[in-house]
Amino acid sequence: MARAVRIRLLNKYLPPVGGAAGPEFWERWRIERIRHAALHGLEEPLYTGVSRRGRLLDRLEVLGIKPEEVKALAEKLGPEGIDRLDVDVGLDFAGVKLRVPVYLGDMSFGALSGNPNIALARAADAAGAVVGVGEGGLHPEVAKSRNIVIQWASGRFGVDRDMLRRGIAVNIKIGQGAKPGIGGHLPSRKVVGEIAKLRRLPPGTEALSPAPHHDIYSIEDLAQRVRMLREFTGKPVLVKTAATNQVGFVALGTARADAMGIIVDGAGAGTGATPKIVRDHIGIPIDYAVPVVHDLLVDNGLRDGFIVIGGGMVSAAEDILKLVLLGADMAMMGTAALIAMGCIMCHLCNTGKCPTALTNSLDSPLRLDIDWAVARTVNWLRAVERGLKLFTYLLGEDSLHKLRGRRELLRLHNADPEVASVLGVELAEPGSVAWYGDPREEPVPREVYAEAKTPVLGMGGYVPGYTAPAERPIDLLRIEAAQVTRPPVDPYREEIDISVRLPDGTVYEAPIGVPCIDPALREAAEALGYPLDCELLERPYAAAVPPGSEPPPGTTVVIVDEELRGRLGRSKPWLEEWIVRLDDGYWRDGIRDTVALVAAGDLRHAADVYKLVALGADIVVVRRSLRWLSRKLAGEPYERRREAYENTLIELGWELRLLMGAGGLTSYQSLQGNRWLLRSLDGEVARRLDVAVAGR
Amino acid sequence: MCGIAGVARLDGGVEPLSKLLASLEAMRDRGTEHGAGMAAYSPEPGGKVRARVFLRRGRDEQALQELLERLGANGSHVLARLGHGVEVVEALLNDYPTPADLSRLWFLQASRTLEVWKSIGWPREVAEAYGLRGGEERRVWIGHTRYPTNSPGFQPWLAHPFSAGETVIVHNGDLSSYGANKRLIMYGMGLTSFTGNDSEAIAYIVEMLYRDGANPLDVVEAMVYGRGPRWARLDGPYAVIYIHGTLHGPVFSAFVDRHHFRPLYYAKVGETVYLASEAAAVKAMDPRARPVMLRGGGYIVVYPDGEMEARGLTSWKEYPAPQPPPWAVDASKMNRVELNQALAAMLERTGRAAAYNLQGHRYVANGLGPGRLELWGVVGNASLNLVRGLEARIYGQAQEDLGDSMEDSRVIVYGSVGDSAGQAMRSGELHILGDAGNRLGVQMKGGTIVLRGDAGDYLAEFMAGGVIVALGRVGRYIASGMVGGKIYVRGHVPVSHVGKAPPRRQVERYIKALAARGEISEEQMVKALRGQTVEELLQALGDKFRRLAKLWGVLHIGYPHVEYRYLRGDERDELEAILRRHVEATGVPLDVEQLLEEKYTVITSVKVKPPEGEGAW
């Protein structure tokens, strides 16, 4: 018998988790800042000054703004005083004059549980912002608001001809920063009731949107859809893409298609559910992307009247100011809005068990108090508006728009000249974007070895070497995703061939090398057809060398093993660097197709495999995670160990396919040596690994 | 990026440039003013290398001078002035330029048998810049109108066609394999300078393969299927047309990526072969043409002696069409906006609308309805989307994306449809009498689709509801990601063509390993190795299948359930109703009684959740 469920209304902030469970951009102080703004109408602190590490946004100094001055002036004027400043920070958006240049990110009814959708839409109207409704149909209450943007996404969930005309604009969603090249995913446990009905799905099925739009495989196809939707709705059309290697040209193509603007969503953006490996390694951060987009549009005479919206870990007014100075018109904020409504950053969004009633499943008894949430969100948006007014005033302008692209007002601290030149910002002092340390991550999560499941998580921002320390240079490399110019490929529905054929004709099912550390692991690898490092070494004409040593002439299986150089492991050259050098050397000598190049070392996951193969290796031996696992499993019976290893190896294969598919690769053959697919966040890493800097 | 076209004579005769230009102009929506170009087979009479370079005044004179001093045969002349201080200079050379020369100057071509014209602008503007009037005649032409993808739009050397030696290509797409392909030509051909345009790599690889002794089919094998030199395989979307000139005549060939991410239409009229990115653009070259699709992984080769080989062409099916009513509008005199306004006005006034001579007009009747609509000709991309309550008949064919998100409507096509027809269809009926491209009924949410002809790959991908009846042959990867609905395919479909399975090699290896460890009996192994479907494997392996299931991936939301059999009673009733409605709607007879007696492959979605891991980790 069904028990009567008592609905509980949530109308207060719970203690935040942020930053406690692993590296996290949304640390407690950022959450507290947003809550302060949502309660008091002013951010605290308003301006944090320059940081030596972290995002480029954090390393950018705005000339003419000092933290103390901002604080003093804010205290002197107070919220009302700031409101009275004769400064305009809004803009015209699809015929509506916005008060604050904020686009509240596209969070669907389904990803959010209804009440938060309503609260966001009402808050956007009240505070003069705009809200994207996401893919999942239009909630009838949301439809009553004015400043809404309707989404046309690859799953077409909830789309019909009336709904498309209900907003002030239409947004074609190609991709998002949290999972470039991956389709939308609403986990089955949240596909219930009204949500399933609106999406026209049998309840309890996974709501998967295809990775590409199956009618948009190229830029001319995108143009076709932009024109179709514009002619159909009579409304302007926006395009939302993740920030990737080609983002500048995607923006150009979008502008040529007569779109009203582009939303560029940077790496580390939030989402309801994304495979962790994708979130952590694909796409480039927004601060690299915005200036590139701005410059290309200007160079091609397409900047005027075109709106550039930057998103991805945008947390406060000062971030928006810097994005505008780099060339954006507006910022997209999603996570920050959820925090204003009570998100505590516990990463449970994909489970439907949100303790703050934001992303919980419809059948759960907890509900967000709409009035409370609207009040908080409006307050927070006001605070953002006030912050921007204050900054604009301090910079001596009467409108934020006049600051767009004014990069002479910026100085970049502790970065390399190459990165500074991508941004078009003067360098304050030379330094390095890369910083190293231990990111405190468990190499193999439980769901991997116990269930062969791809770890999926919700929300949070993490870009190694950028928001958190990198472990090794390869972490600074970002992987390409296909956006607009070509379609990504979904490994669960389309074939992605990761098998490797060595020059002698041996075929392995994956380029993932396995260390011979446990007989159970050996057996698992053999059954799956993965190469074993000890067997590779036993092949004729095989040799193992440390990075920095040339293998003997005539070697056809070259294993570059970073452990061979002993204790002083981290000295030059890096393993990844030596792979690049050897690969180039074999090409120059005309013998590349006769040599198998194996990279072995302290490597962790599928992203390491992808990157090293793209840099030039044929096979990558993943030692760290498998060693960790063998220690973890010590004492377990043989069968259980074998199964755990097997799960882990299968999962590594799936993650590799996910990464490849996101970039539109269907074969290992197109990945090997394809350095075009990689971009570096750091100039020195770029130089030494022969890849371009992000944004180039 | 872009729209491409080609025309070739099989009998050694010639065709005028005007045909090619007409085709490119018909694809205006696929291009921009940011580049266009043409190429033709045109052997240099003296057997010299005909070089054309972009000369940037004040920058390139010295490099050109040195080239001419070393290789020049008899001076040079300006072929065209493109403005902004850029000229195209033509010179005859005694030999091919070296890679070093290629890195110093932007060449349009350096070839004994080809001619290339290209620049910034629309196709006709580019032709005019070179003084071409359309009457020029050659045996083979290819052309391109550009929508820049990954490079700026103001440099003429980034326009197509791209040539390398005796090969010249036009490409629509964007290669994900570019970085890998580039290394092959960098080191294989000693090239040091690239435009950065991925299409250029295709020209060089084709040329390299021919220099290494490949024939046209080898080129397809290597580039499309990866059965050739390493790093020669192309990945990502592409439709390519190329000419490879020999002294005995031209090889004219085209191929399309295996996923059919880019369209290419083909027609042969008399001794002339036509190719273009859109059916309407084929008809623009010759109104008698009957364009058919080149399917994913398909190719066309015309050898120098006029012999032709092709694989992956759909077939042309024609049904008698009534005459348009006298009040119908002539679409050829209107652009798409005018046409749609006219159709909307007619529907509003009388509830009926009709238009003839459609020439690939896009977005036709989107969002219209209720009412009755009749169309004659080629219906362009993204038409009849979001219609509601519309009864539409198309006498002719429809290109890509017909009927996206349509509701409560009945659409009948007396011909073929391109890719992704009926995408996210919500309800109503879609009747197709010809063939369908890839992804028919992708993400279908409700309603019925009846297809008389053949379907491409990925039929009913992500299907969530409704019924699809396919009476012809079907492609691979049917119903992958299916979560609801039902598919009837007449006749037997190999189960390996349903859904997506892990590589067979890996499955077999794993089953053998299970047997080697003694986890399954010899008998079970033999049975499992014979097993084709997930169900057969499940039967053979019992609970050991749980292990194997991981190879399918857990996000995979269920394996489609496949049965090849006679219809059950309720299915008979369902199919009979659908087919009778189909015959009534289309007016084209079918032996329904006979069809109900045949065997069908019936595909439904089943959720086979991999059992939870045993024991507690």
Side-chain angles (χ1 to χ4, degrees), chain A residues 249-506:
Chain A
F249 294 112
V250 170
L252 273 189
T254 307
R256 285 186 188 122
D258 312 322
M260 158 197 167
I262 188 166
I263 304 175
V264 181
D265 199 9
T271 179
T274 174
K276 184 174 181 306
I277 193 87
V278 168
R279 184 198 74 166
D280 292 354
H281 298 282
I282 300 190
I284 65 173
I286 191 62
D287 34 23
Y288 288 80
V290 161
V292 174
V293 166
H294 176 72
D295 285 346
L296 261 177
L297 288 168
V298 169
D299 290 350
N300 284 272
L302 293 163
R303 189 67 184 91
D304 287 343
F306 190 72
I307 295 182
V308 175
I309 305 174
M313 299 193 292
V314 181
S315 66
E318 60 175 337
D319 289 350
I320 302 177
L321 171 72
K322 288 172 183 176
L323 283 178
V324 169
L325 289 168
L326 286 173
D329 294 275
M330 251 178 113
M332 176 171 65
M333 297 169 106
T335 306
L338 288 184
I339 290 172
M341 293 196 295
C343 170
I344 56 171
M345 206 46 70
C346 64
H347 304 292
L348 293 175
C349 318
N350 56 319
T351 66
K353 292 176 185 154
C354 176
T356 55
L358 293 167
T359 66
N360 54 335
S361 170
L362 276 194
D363 46 19
S364 101
L366 202 59
R367 298 272 191 283
L368 184 70
D369 182 330
I370 295 179
D371 293 337
W372 176 80
V374 170
R376 296 288 75 73
T377 312
V378 169
N379 254 0
W380 163 71
L381 283 168
R382 284 270 187 279
V384 171
E385 181 192 337
R386 287 180 185 124
L388 287 170
K389 277 188 153 179
L390 206 58
F391 297 143
T392 311
Y393 175 77
L394 278 168
L395 290 171
E397 294 288 356
D398 59 2
S399 120
L400 181 66
H401 181 75
K402 291 184 182 161
L403 291 170
R404 188 183 75 189
R406 295 269 299 276
R407 279 167 284 177
E408 75 276 8
L409 296 174
L410 292 170
R411 288 289 178 277
L412 183 60
H413 287 265
N414 195 28
D416 38 81
E418 181 71 12
V419 170
S421 93
V422 166
L423 262 62
V425 171
E426 206 170 296
L427 202 54
E429 79 280 331
S432 155
V433 173
W435 100 94
Y436 298 97
D438 178 7
R440 300 174 290 140
E441 274 199 297
E442 194 168 76
V444 190
R446 189 191 163 280
E447 66 238 72
V448 171
Y449 63 82
E451 299 169 66
K453 261 192 191 158
T454 307
V456 169
L457 45 75
M459 299 305 289
Y462 170 57
V463 177
Y466 176 79
T467 64
E471 268 185 88
R472 51 186 305 147
I474 203 173
D475 289 348
L476 274 301
L477 299 184
R478 305 296 298 171
I479 291 174
E480 167 73 320
Q483 297 283 285
V484 179
T485 64
R486 58 175 183 261
V489 174
D490 176 350
Y492 298 105
R493 263 155 293 279
E494 289 164 65
E495 265 169 34
I496 295 181
D497 180 8
I498 58 169
S499 68
V500 182
R501 181 183 291 273
L502 294 192
D504 67 1
T506 319

Side-chain angles (χ1 to χ4, degrees), chain A residues 17 30 105 135 154 213 346 378 383 403 453 512 585 624:
Chain A
V17 177
R30 290 195 205 268
E135 182 188 23
S154 63
H213 283 250
C346 64
V378 169
L403 291 170
K453 261 192 191 158
I512 301 164
R624 155 95 67 96

Side-chain angles (χ1 to χ4, degrees), chain B residues 66 82 170 172 180 190 243 271 279 285 386 393 402 446 520 523 542:
Chain B
E66 285 171 21
L82 303 178
V170 287
N172 173 20
I243 309 171
E271 290 299 305
M285 291 189 269
L386 297 151
R393 282 158 204 276
L402 180 81
I520 56 171
E523 198 184 334

Side-chain angles (χ1 to χ4, degrees), chain B residues 19-53:
Chain B
K19 281 192 177 178
L20 185 81
L21 288 177
S23 177
L24 294 175
E25 290 203 319
M27 296 187 286
R28 197 178 166 87
D29 274 330
R30 304 183 79 87
T32 59
E33 73 275 51
H34 298 290
M38 293 76 67
Y41 178 71
S42 174
E44 204 286 311
K48 303 280 187 208
V49 173
R50 190 192 278 127
R52 289 181 183 168
V53 298

Side-chain angles (χ1 to χ4, degrees), chain A residues 563-579:
Chain A
E563 285 171 13
L564 290 180
R565 64 182 161 197
R567 280 278 140 213
L568 296 164
R570 282 288 147 99
S571 63
K572 292 174 185 180
W574 309 324
L575 166 69
E576 36 275 64
E577 186 180 14
W578 198 241
I579 290 291

Side-chain angles (χ1 to χ4, degrees), chain A residues 503-687:
Chain A
D504 67 1
T506 319
V507 175
Y508 294 112
E509 297 300 336
I512 301 164
V514 175
C516 300
I517 46 176
D518 182 340
L521 178 54
R522 275 188 81 137
E523 199 178 297
E526 278 165 1
L528 292 170
Y530 284 35
L532 287 156
D533 65 349
C534 52
E535 281 189 2
L536 288 169
L537 195 53
E538 282 161 16
R539 289 174 162 277
Y541 308 107
V545 294
S549 298
E550 293 282 349
T555 312
T556 57
V557 180
V558 178
I559 301 169
V560 184
D561 186 343
E562 63 182 348
E563 285 171 13
L564 290 180
R565 64 182 161 197
R567 280 278 140 213
L568 296 164
R570 282 288 147 99
S571 63
K572 292 174 185 180
W574 309 324
L575 166 69
E576 36 275 64
E577 186 180 14
W578 198 241
I579 290 291
V580 167
R581 298 255 287 273
L582 287 181
D583 181 53
D584 286 349
Y586 292 134
W587 270 109
R588 265 196 303 278
D589 297 345
I591 55 168
R592 184 63 188 87
D593 53 353
T594 67
V595 178
L597 192 54
V598 182
D602 200 25
L603 302 168
R604 303 144 296 175
H605 41 56
D608 284 349
V609 177
Y610 180 110
K611 291 172 185 175
L612 278 161
V613 168
L615 286 177
D618 293 299
I619 288 174
V620 180
V621 183
V622 182
R623 284 224 185 96
R624 155 95 67 96
S625 45
L626 292 170
R627 269 201 196 130
W628 178 90
L629 189 59
S630 78
R631 282 197 301 276
K632 173 107 189 160
L633 298 172
E636 295 281 348
Y638 183 88
E639 271 305 297
R640 275 171 75 85
R641 281 187 350 250
R642 192 187 49 73
E643 194 179 339
Y645 289 131
E646 200 175 274
N647 288 343
T648 309
L649 294 180
I650 288 174
E651 220 290 303
L652 279 171
W654 279 114
E655 290 192 351
L656 180 60
R657 286 190 188 93
L658 265 177
L659 295 173
M660 288 170 62
L665 297 166
T666 63
S667 165
Y668 164 83
Q669 284 192 48
S670 338
L671 173 63
Q672 204 284 322
N674 193 343
R675 293 179 203 154
W676 190 247
L677 298 167
L678 300 174
R679 291 290 185 276
S680 170
L681 297 182
D682 180 84
E684 191 200 351
V685 172
R687 232 172 9 260

